[in-house]
Amino acid sequence: MKTALITGITGQDGSYLAEQLLKKDYVVYGIVRRSSSSNFERIKHIQDDVNLIQGDLLDQNSLIEAIEKSNPDEVYNLGAQSFVPTSWNQPVLTGEFTALGVTRLLEAIRLVNKKIRFYQASTSEMFGKVKEVPQNEQTLFYPRSPYGVAKLYAHWITVNYRESYDLFCCSGILFNHESPRRGLEFVTKKVSDSVARIKMELSNELRIGNLDAKRDWGYAGDYVEAMWLMLQQDEPEDYVIATGETHSVRELVEIAFKHVGLEWEDYVVVDPKFVRPAEVDILLGDSTRAREKLKWQPRIKFEELVKMMVDYDIERYKVPTYSSKNYDIPIL
Ligand code: NAP
Ligand code: GDD
């Protein structure tokens, strides 16, 4: 029986990964940070099956203690400040969590047990102003946000610890992946949630930013499987994980509204407030290495993903506790 420790277990990916590892009979530990209110919505269905340890990527000792307590075979570092626009408001804090947090965790592993296998949640945001289309493991990086810059540091420190200390470290360069559990501020969830509220007559518009941006969107449940596969290989390596299809925000909006029988042009308002200081115009991943070596492939296609998210949100708003009054407006 293997043991895994997950940072970011309360997040979208952490919740799916914990579920999948439990199904594989792992003992699962998760690091959670202290909060005055409970933040376990995404893991409440498995809360009794996982072991939660208080800790923070900002606090070196808490990470050492978490590794000592859990004694893991594998550590998955999914914790981060992950929302790109927030990284312009809080660039220093983003760097502390998302960049230096990784060094703290790697140092803790080096100190406690160098045999631990380590997964770092790298991102297609590192390609930013892309140097080629599609992007693969050899494509040059050109990040376009403080978040992307912090993740690039995290990526290279992971490579560096592999090369300096012979640690088994893998960096998964994951393209956007979504699900009904996606945070409300990300564009797919913002759209599915708004479409559901409009359909339920709780709202009558969707204010949005750049409709022309293109992303390679996959399903989070498929992507966490790739994280696990990376740590089961004989040699540590970095892998691009993507669907190989790109779609615009406009297409996303069109599909979501059409699914509930509405015309998107009647409800969507472009609001410059949601346009970013520097945009990543197009992401399209080439995951040939993962498909050949890991035998990984995505199962859920873009259109199915969008419909799944809209259907989920419509069901959610049928529960009477949700109304336009207690709905939290996402802050961008
Ligand atoms: P998410 O839903 O935003 O979850 C982030 C997690 O990090 C949450 O559990 C959060 O805890 C935790 N966290 C934040 N700051 C922390 C700190 N100082 N100490 C400990 N934990 C902290 O993100 P996600 O979508 O699941 O993504 C998981 C990882 O993959 C992130 O590193 C993200 O940057 C990266 N990534 C995501 C995508 C994507 O499309 N989803 C693509 C590429 C890479 P709280 O619940 O307490 O806030
Ligand atoms: N959030 C948001 N809100 N995005 C909008 C909006 C809006 O109202 N209107 C247009 N967009 C565009 C953004 O400008 C961006 O080009 C695209 O939609 C996707 O935005 P997000 O869903 O916020 O995701 P992201 O691509 O910036 O970042 C996500 O994916 C990365 C991987 O490429 C996050 O999950 C990152 O953590 C992850 O690393």
Side-chain angles (χ1 to χ4, degrees):
M1 203 185 259
K2 280 192 191 169
T3 300
L5 174 66
I6 304 172
T7 73
I9 194 168
T10 53
Q12 171 189 256
D13 291 7
S15 67
Y16 283 109
L17 179 65
E19 255 171 32
Q20 290 199 13
L21 292 177
L22 287 170
K23 282 196 191 127
K24 295 181 198 298
D25 278 339
Y26 274 61
V27 175
V28 176
Y29 285 84
I31 292 183
V32 290
R33 42 183 185 161
R34 197 265 159 186
S35 164
S36 65
S37 58
S38 167
N39 192 14
F40 297 163
E41 190 60 27
R42 295 186 180 100
I43 54 166
K44 63 173 189 251
H45 60 298
I46 50 169
Q47 214 175 308
D48 295 338
D49 305 321
V50 296
N51 308 283
L52 300 178
I53 301 177
Q54 217 172 68
D56 200 301
L57 288 166
L58 298 180
D59 188 279
Q60 181 73 67
N61 274 355
S62 70
L63 299 177
I64 295 171
E65 271 183 30
I67 290 179
E68 282 174 343
K69 261 188 211 159
S70 57
N71 189 24
D73 301 287
E74 297 166 7
V75 170
Y76 295 86
N77 183 36
L78 311 185
Q81 189 302 95
S82 74
F83 188 47
V84 172
T86 296
S87 77
W88 277 286
N89 296 345
Q90 300 175 25
V92 176
L93 190 65
T94 299
E96 286 286 353
F97 287 5
T98 305
L100 283 178
V102 185
T103 311
R104 292 188 192 98
L105 195 51
L106 285 165
E107 277 294 278
I109 289 173
R110 192 169 74 86
L111 205 75
V112 178
N113 176 8
K114 285 168 77 177
K115 289 208 170 65
I116 292 170
R117 294 186 168 206
F118 177 75
Y119 173 85
Q120 167 56 19
S122 282
T123 165
S124 49
E125 269 287 311
M126 300 187 307
F127 296 123
K129 193 170 181 180
V130 297
K131 293 291 168 196
E132 60 180 339
V133 181
Q135 298 87 45
N136 62 32
E137 293 82 2
Q138 274 74 49
T139 303
L140 285 178
F141 298 120
Y142 191 145
R144 292 276 277 172
S145 61
Y147 167 81
V149 174
K151 280 284 183 181
L152 193 52
Y153 170 93
H155 177 75
W156 282 117
I157 201 73
T158 302
V159 173
N160 182 261
Y161 271 54
R162 180 166 73 213
E163 294 175 356
S164 305
Y165 303 115
D166 206 19
L167 294 184
F168 193 109
C169 298
C170 297
S171 186
I173 307 174
L174 271 52
F175 282 62
N176 299 50
H177 45 278
E178 320 293 313
S179 74
R181 296 184 203 166
R182 188 56 144 152
L184 201 49
E185 66 272 57
F186 298 92
V187 75
T188 52
K189 185 69 172 176
K190 182 173 170 181
V191 169
S192 66
D193 182 81
S194 293
V195 166
R197 283 190 297 123
I198 290 168
K199 184 68 184 169
M200 305 293 284
E201 298 181 349
L202 296 168
S203 166
N204 54 17
E205 70 170 18
L206 163 58
R207 301 189 84 80
I208 202 157
N210 179 9
L211 286 170
D212 296 319
K214 291 180 134 189
R215 290 290 182 276
D216 181 331
W217 277 295
Y219 171 57
D222 290 343
Y223 284 41
V224 298
E225 179 70 14
M227 299 174 184
W228 176 78
L229 284 168
M230 284 178 215
L231 296 197
Q232 312 314 309
Q233 303 306 302
D234 292 338
E235 297 298 330
E237 243 188 301
D238 304 327
Y239 294 87
V240 159
I241 301 296
T243 69
E245 274 183 30
T246 191
H247 298 274
S248 64
V249 174
R250 182 178 285 99
E251 284 174 81
L252 161 70
V253 165
E254 266 170 22
I255 292 172
F257 276 93
K258 198 169 161 213
H259 184 51
V260 297
L262 299 173
E263 288 290 334
W264 71 276
E265 287 98 333
D266 295 340
Y267 303 96
V268 172
V269 179
V270 173
D271 185 338
K273 189 171 81 182
F274 296 110
V275 174
R276 298 175 182 186
E279 178 63 288
V280 172
D281 294 322
I282 174 166
L283 291 174
L284 175 62
D286 171 4
S287 58
T288 304
R289 179 187 284 176
R291 288 171 199 240
E292 287 178 355
K293 291 195 175 172
L294 305 179
K295 311 285 176 229
W296 174 85
Q297 56 177 14
R299 278 167 287 214
I300 295 196
K301 306 276 279 184
F302 177 64
E303 193 163 335
E304 190 184 346
L305 173 65
V306 176
K307 289 177 181 172
M308 176 209 294
M309 292 177 71
V310 171
D311 288 343
Y312 176 87
D313 284 326
I314 286 185
E315 286 309 311
R316 196 162 62 90
Y317 280 110
K318 284 184 184 160
V319 180
T321 52
Y322 282 98
S323 77
S324 54
K325 288 220 170 71
N326 65 16
Y327 166 74
D328 288 329
I329 305 287
I331 301 160
L332 196 113

